[in-house]
Amino acid sequence: MSVTIIMVCILVGTMVVSMGAARQYLNGQLQSQGDNAASALALLLSQPANQDPATRETLMTALFDSGQFRKIALESKEGAVLFARTLAPSSGKPVPEWFRRLLPVAPVTAVRDITDGWKQVGELTVVVDDASAAEALWRGSSQLLVLVVLAGVVWALFVALLVNWFERALSREIRHQLEAVGHDLEIQKESSSLRELADVSAAIQDTEARVRATSKALNERIDSLETEVNRDPVTKLPNRRYFIDEILRGTESAGPRAGRSAYVLLIRQRDLTRINQAMTRPRTDQWLYGVGQSIVQATGSGAEAACLVARLNGSDFALFIQKAGRDEALRLANAVRAELSRQRVEWEDGGHSRWAYALASWAPGHDLPGLLLTLDLSLMRLGSPQSDEIHVIGPAGDGEQDGLPPEV
């Protein structure tokens, strides 16, 4: 009875999990379909060649006639309806109402803005038709229920025969081993006189060893891929994509509690090409690794703000300073500059490699890639100065020096 109850629970659980997974998959497909269709249509409608009302209506009608959408509407920014098409109720085989309430497949609505250059023209609304998804879920669930019932019946017949065989062939040995549990543990390691039981025991041990080895190899591979995707291979610091994603992910999770503005410091080595010519490749890589560790060390000792260091490209490093005011950001920037001044490469003519710095504030919700581009352009406009002063970018993107300490 206990085995029967467990088997029933497994069959029911399998069905529930499968139906839930199918529902989540269909919902995800509907969401992806709605987002992709809305984005593609909004992009088409925002093109300069498609600003004519007749052209827009033709494009929206063509998408609506595909039969995959319940509603497509376009409203002006004043709220006037410029275009609206609604799909009539489906005449196909209906899905029971109780099934819709049990496993609802909600219609997906995607909203996109339509623009004409920098001017907002209106708002596009696309609602994906969920009728086919609900019917597919109903049909798949019905088939799965039939299979589960058939599997349960077949299993019950098999168990009835199997129990009789176990009672005759295995009762004596299994009972002997069960009675020995807790009294003579060594008996569990003895070879079974029943060949079937010995084979199963050996197979379990062999499978366990192979699964453990496979799991270890997979974990090592996952760690290697994660490092390869998110880390710079030379300095082991986060790369540009991970740097941006991590900042945006952190600010999104913080939400309204993000608080004070953060700061971004762009650090550029102006003589990396000359360094590559002066040193061998391994020495250059070792030097770059030391530079990254120096930045981490300078920002990690006694800093109240949370910092993230990354290597954006060959010659550029970036420092994100979170939950810091202007004074704290400047203090950390000066600490980095002081640390990197000891990492300069000396030339044969007595000169040394040059560093350049650009600092700007950033608030959650602003364009972070755009800010990095602004810092990059700012350092490019500086040319090749011999000093390593920190160039502060103002709110308008211009360099400013007012209010800085004398050493900056």
Side-chain angles (χ1 to χ4, degrees), residues 354-376:
R354 299 162 301 167
W355 291 100
Y357 306 88
L359 177 68
S361 63
W362 177 80
H366 291 182
D367 184 13
L368 181 57
L371 178 62
L372 292 175
L373 178 60
T374 300
L375 293 171
D376 177 69

Side-chain angles (χ1 to χ4, degrees), residues 221-282:
R221 180 59 177 166
I222 291 173
D223 293 340
S224 176
L225 289 175
E226 183 179 359
T227 301
E228 181 179 347
V229 172
N230 297 329
R231 298 282 175 174
D232 176 66
V234 176
T235 62
K236 308 305 179 185
L237 295 175
N239 56 23
R240 182 186 186 93
R241 185 178 67 176
Y242 182 82
F243 177 74
I244 295 176
D245 292 345
E246 185 69 14
I247 293 174
L248 297 181
R249 183 164 51 247
T251 54
E252 288 176 359
S253 61
R257 300 173 300 173
R260 301 153 62 185
S261 298
Y263 285 82
V264 178
L265 175 66
L266 182 62
I267 308 167
R268 173 167 298 170
Q269 172 52 242
R270 296 189 178 275
D271 302 308
L272 185 59
T273 301
R274 186 174 179 182
I275 292 174
N276 285 325
Q277 296 173 352
M279 296 191 298
T280 62
R281 176 69 176 273

Side-chain angles (χ1 to χ4, degrees), residues 23-39 69 105-112 126-130 133:
R23 172 180 168 271
Q24 292 180 1
Y25 174 79
L26 290 174
N27 281 332
Q29 289 295 100
L30 290 177
Q31 184 66 52
S32 177
Q33 179 183 357
D35 291 341
N36 292 339
S39 298
F69 304 93
V105 180
V108 175
T109 301
V111 179
R112 296 292 186 275
V126 176
V127 180
V128 182
D129 186 19
D130 62 327

Side-chain angles (χ1 to χ4, degrees), residues 187-200:
I187 197 173
Q188 302 179 47
K189 301 179 181 179
E190 295 179 356
S191 301
S192 174
S193 60
L194 200 62
R195 185 183 61 182
E196 290 81 357
L197 190 60
D199 291 344
V200 169

Side-chain angles (χ1 to χ4, degrees), residues 168-341:
R168 292 192 307 269
L170 302 180
S171 177
R172 180 177 63 256
E173 184 166 350
I174 297 298
R175 183 176 299 174
H176 173 67
Q177 294 185 11
L178 291 177
E179 290 176 352
V181 174
H183 300 283
D184 186 8
L185 298 178
E186 293 298 327
I187 197 173
Q188 302 179 47
K189 301 179 181 179
E190 295 179 356
S191 301
S192 174
S193 60
L194 200 62
R195 185 183 61 182
E196 290 81 357
L197 190 60
D199 291 344
V200 169
S201 178
I204 292 176
Q205 295 177 4
D206 181 63
T207 302
E208 181 184 5
R210 286 188 285 110
V211 168
R212 185 180 294 112
T214 303
S215 177
K216 182 178 179 181
L218 286 176
N219 289 335
E220 293 177 353
R221 180 59 177 166
I222 291 173
D223 293 340
S224 176
L225 289 175
E226 183 179 359
T227 301
E228 181 179 347
V229 172
N230 297 329
R231 298 282 175 174
D232 176 66
V234 176
T235 62
K236 308 305 179 185
L237 295 175
N239 56 23
R240 182 186 186 93
R241 185 178 67 176
Y242 182 82
F243 177 74
I244 295 176
D245 292 345
E246 185 69 14
I247 293 174
L248 297 181
R249 183 164 51 247
T251 54
E252 288 176 359
S253 61
R257 300 173 300 173
R260 301 153 62 185
S261 298
Y263 285 82
V264 178
L265 175 66
L266 182 62
I267 308 167
R268 173 167 298 170
Q269 172 52 242
R270 296 189 178 275
D271 302 308
L272 185 59
T273 301
R274 186 174 179 182
I275 292 174
N276 285 325
Q277 296 173 352
M279 296 191 298
T280 62
R281 176 69 176 273
R283 286 190 59 192
T284 301
D285 291 346
Q286 185 178 5
W287 180 79
L288 289 172
Y289 178 80
V291 168
Q293 296 304 309
S294 297
I295 299 175
V296 173
Q297 181 179 1
T299 58
S301 57
E304 299 179 358
C307 299
L308 177 63
V309 183
R311 187 187 183 193
L312 304 184
N313 52 45
S315 59
D316 290 351
F317 294 81
L319 172 62
F320 178 70
I321 309 172
Q322 189 178 12
K323 299 179 181 179
R326 179 184 175 90
D327 293 340
E328 175 68 7
L330 288 172
R331 188 189 69 79
L332 287 174
N334 279 304
V336 171
R337 184 180 64 172
E339 188 68 27
L340 292 184
S341 64

